[in-house]
Amino acid sequence: MFGSMMDRPLLVSSLLEHAERQFGATEIVSRETGGALFRYTYRAAASRARRLAKALTRLGVAHGGRVATLAWNNHRHLEAYFAVSGSGAVLHTCNPRLHPEQLAYILNHAEDEVLMFDATFLPLVEAGAGHCPALRHFVLLGGPEDMPKESRVPGLICYEDLLAASDDDFAWPEFDERTASTLCYTSGTTGNPKGVLYSHRSTVLHSFALSVPDTLSLSAHDCVLPVVPMFHVNAWGIPYAAAMNGCKLVLPGPKLDGASLFQLMEDERVTCSAGVPTIWLSLAQYMEQHGLVPTTMKRTVVGGSAMPQAQIHTWTQRFGVEVRHAWGMTETSPLGTQGCLLPKHGAATIDEQCAQRAKQGRAVYGVEMRVVDADGNERPRDGKSAGELEVRGPWIAGAYFKGEAPALRNGWFPTGDIATIDADGYMQITDRVKDVIKSGGEWISSIDLENAAAGHPAVLMAAVIGARHPKWDERPVMFVVKKPGQDVDKAGIVAYLADKVAKWWLPDEVIFLDTLPLGATGKVQKVDLRREYANVLDCVA
Ligand code: AMP
């Protein structure tokens, strides 16, 4: 027997409609590509999104058609988020930091018909337009004053002209909630990027999960600033969840340096944020150098790679900002876990609490999680037994776009992460499958080593890879970027690590670099380090 409740579809457009009706006067603040701040309201954003949806329909974008964006976090990108998906087309957010060849690959693979882009990316579009035959329309996200005098982009359309020629007399269509809403490609460090096609249903359910108290705890009293780009897994779903909860939304545009972010957060009274650890590292450095502390920021979600415990400590103790470690992937929309503490941690010391927060956290409702051995058998939830992390749930990819490389194993999505889960459900990532260091048949966790090294007062960033070793197969090699004005040598690092990790985990080599190679989403590119340094221990007898 079925329940007798209405079967109303969960659609992305309903989020904006809700914001327009319930929080119409709430502000959205956006840093323009040129640097100026633009302000309007959810009511105005909804009206412009309807204009855009109507204009796209006139351009011939049909239900299921793909519209790509190459844009920063700004208000026009936000309008595209709702207009494209809301009208039944699919929004494909492209990462401009991808290699131009990979960018052309994903535009072609997605069969994008329209490309909407910020002026910053005009040279990139001019160079690539000819390689993407399916692209019919190019729209520059700006006003007439932003348009180039001459351009090699065929038939370049001005966004504001497009909107001016349209009107907002447009009703969001209703369709099946399983309809595709958005398309994101994995960063493709090995092989070509693969497409993950989110649905309206998965996006709306994910927004609920993001909003609850133990995740981002969003409400109309919040002012949210997503530092995470809108081209990185939909800014982790924040634009949708902000509309659902009527949060004031602050979009930082291209200015992501410490000084700009701090100023914007203070001026707009931002209460919560989200981004990768490298962003928080540079903001913390800026605040430390200038003796500043944030006055309105209460919490931030950190994910994409592990935030070391020492950094969590700085944010908690020095800046009074609660760090909520989250784990996720493009394939998981991305929210999988959140790292809030449990009541029993209330009595723990700050150090113990920070150690707990350095784990990747517990599965949110809607995500099931387990670790399995090489034969697919579930490993005990004892915080010690490591294995590959598998997940399943209504916002986890069931397949890749166009059926490429089957995604599932026995109905679960194999994440490629090695993890443990403890009795309270806290998951801790020790490595990516491809990054784990196999020394004499035993595993060494590069993340644990990096985490430990990051606590050294002279260390800004650390990364560890397995280098080939004639006797042990692989041994850890550590790369360290020193804090400005600080000094430490290999012996100092090894001595510091000696009481923090097992003796046989200590790195065989410590190499000091000026910077670490960062990928398109701010993660350390261990592939690049391996390419250059995999044989660095070859001369060891
Ligand atoms: P992407 O799909 O590019 O966002 O990458 C997803 C991968 O990032 C995951 O499979 C993890 O390896 C890594 N990752 C995401 N969040 C965390 C985290 N909080 N700690 C450690 N690694 C993370």
Side-chain angles (χ1 to χ4, degrees):
M1 181 165 63
F2 288 119
S4 51
M5 311 314 280
M6 290 185 194
D7 196 8
R8 301 284 299 143
L10 301 173
L11 300 179
V12 164
S13 56
S14 69
L15 297 169
L16 189 60
E17 275 191 313
H18 178 72
E20 182 181 15
R21 286 200 193 109
Q22 312 298 333
F23 313 104
T26 299
E27 249 189 329
I28 299 170
V29 181
S30 161
R31 171 91 63 196
E32 303 270 31
T33 305
L37 283 184
F38 172 85
R39 290 170 190 280
Y40 67 166
T41 60
Y42 276 110
R43 189 173 295 119
S47 160
R48 281 169 57 94
R50 286 196 299 273
R51 277 176 180 263
L52 176 58
K54 196 163 178 173
L56 288 172
T57 312
R58 286 204 183 125
L59 285 181
V61 177
H63 190 88
R66 263 83 76 194
V67 176
T69 56
L70 263 177
W72 301 111
N73 291 10
N74 59 40
H75 72 286
R76 296 188 180 100
H77 203 177
L78 184 77
E79 289 155 15
Y81 258 52
F82 289 103
V84 175
S85 307
S87 65
V90 178
L91 179 80
H92 172 201
T93 51
C94 300
N95 187 336
R97 297 184 191 128
L98 285 179
H99 189 278
E101 267 174 31
Q102 276 193 332
L103 199 54
Y105 170 85
I106 64 172
L107 287 164
N108 285 328
H109 188 266
E111 299 170 66
D112 293 314
E113 298 168 40
V114 180
L115 174 60
M116 306 172 75
F117 61 96
D118 281 338
T120 319
F121 306 116
L122 182 62
L124 191 60
V125 176
E126 284 183 327
H131 302 292
C132 305
L135 279 174
R136 290 188 286 118
H137 300 288
F138 296 85
V139 181
L140 189 138
L141 291 166
E145 67 285 2
D146 300 309
M147 293 295 281
K149 294 210 168 51
E150 275 177 27
S151 167
R152 283 187 283 132
V153 178
L156 186 59
I157 299 170
C158 166
Y159 182 83
E160 291 301 331
D161 287 351
L162 189 69
L163 257 59
S166 179
D167 62 64
D168 72 353
D169 183 16
F170 178 86
W172 298 112
E174 262 191 28
F175 39 76
D176 191 311
E177 63 183 14
R178 293 166 300 177
T179 302
S181 61
T182 328
L183 179 62
C184 282
Y185 280 75
T186 59
S187 36
T189 42
T190 49
N192 278 326
K194 295 193 280 291
V196 179
L197 193 58
Y198 311 107
S199 69
H200 285 257
R201 172 184 157 80
S202 72
T203 305
V204 174
L205 291 176
H206 183 267
S207 306
F208 279 117
L210 200 59
S211 308
V212 301
D214 272 355
T215 314
L216 257 184
S217 187
L218 295 179
S219 85
H221 297 273
D222 277 306
C223 173
V224 193
L225 185 155
V227 183
V228 51
M230 289 168 77
F231 53 75
H232 184 199
V233 209
N234 304 325
W236 299 350
I238 289 175
Y240 307 114
M244 176 182 262
N245 295 285
C247 309
K248 175 178 171 183
L249 186 61
V250 180
L251 301 168
K255 292 184 115 182
L256 302 177
D257 59 287
S260 308
L261 275 183
F262 181 80
Q263 199 60 49
L264 193 58
M265 284 173 166
E266 287 297 299
D267 291 351
E268 300 303 328
R269 305 191 60 75
V270 169
T271 58
C272 78
S273 186
V276 294
T278 42
I279 283 288
W280 304 118
L281 188 64
S282 64
L283 181 55
Q285 261 192 305
Y286 172 79
M287 292 192 293
E288 276 173 351
Q289 277 161 10
H290 295 83
L292 301 166
V293 284
T295 57
T296 58
M297 263 279 279
K298 295 191 184 119
R299 59 194 178 281
T300 183
V301 164
V302 180
S305 50
M307 186 183 240
Q309 189 181 329
Q311 256 196 72
I312 295 179
H313 200 275
T314 305
W315 277 92
T316 315
Q317 282 300 88
R318 182 161 181 162
F319 301 134
V321 174
E322 186 190 348
V323 171
R324 298 192 174 177
H325 214 169
W327 167 91
M329 340 178 41
T330 309
E331 290 90 334
T332 66
S333 295
L335 183 62
T337 66
Q338 58 73 24
C340 264
L341 299 180
L342 290 169
K344 70 177 189 182
H345 300 121
T349 64
I350 292 293
D351 282 349
E352 286 166 347
Q353 289 187 353
C354 290
Q356 195 63 33
R357 288 185 187 280
K359 297 184 176 184
Q360 276 68 23
R362 294 152 59 240
V364 297
Y365 172 76
V367 175
E368 291 173 80
M369 196 167 266
R370 64 179 191 177
V371 293
V372 296
D373 64 18
D375 300 322
N377 302 313
E378 186 168 355
R379 307 222 62 200
R381 295 163 82 93
D382 57 8
K384 291 196 273 289
S385 306
E388 184 171 357
L389 182 70
E390 293 187 334
V391 290
R392 65 180 182 191
W395 54 86
I396 311 292
Y400 286 107
F401 183 44
K402 297 190 172 172
E404 266 179 22
L408 300 192
R409 196 163 60 196
N410 303 321
W412 291 77
F413 178 78
T415 62
D417 284 326
I418 306 287
T420 59
I421 301 179
D422 71 15
D424 289 324
Y426 281 89
M427 185 271 284
Q428 184 162 22
I429 303 255
T430 53
D431 253 315
R432 294 287 295 158
V433 170
K434 61 185 189 313
D435 291 340
V436 78
I437 302 163
K438 293 180 201 87
S439 172
E442 301 283 343
W443 286 1
I444 295 176
S445 159
S446 63
I447 293 186
D448 281 1
L449 275 172
E450 289 157 7
N451 206 346
H456 190 290
V459 173
L460 183 66
M461 287 174 95
V464 177
I465 62 162
R468 264 199 0 224
H469 189 281
K471 180 166 173 199
W472 301 107
D473 282 346
E474 281 182 348
R475 287 295 300 156
V477 169
M478 178 173 280
F479 301 87
V480 168
V481 179
K482 288 186 247 183
K483 283 189 185 154
Q486 304 274 357
D487 205 15
V488 62
D489 59 7
K490 174 182 171 184
I493 295 284
V494 173
Y496 178 79
L497 293 174
D499 62 352
K500 297 179 179 63
V501 298
K503 192 157 174 284
W504 62 277
W505 281 31
L506 292 173
D508 282 26
E509 199 52 78
V510 179
I511 296 173
F512 294 89
L513 299 176
D514 291 339
T515 52
L516 291 176
L518 296 182
T521 53
K523 292 179 219 261
V524 175
Q525 292 303 88
K526 294 199 182 175
V527 198
D528 294 353
L529 291 174
R530 269 195 292 269
R531 193 177 303 125
E532 199 163 338
Y533 295 98
N535 303 328
V536 76
L537 301 178
D538 268 3
C539 52
V540 180

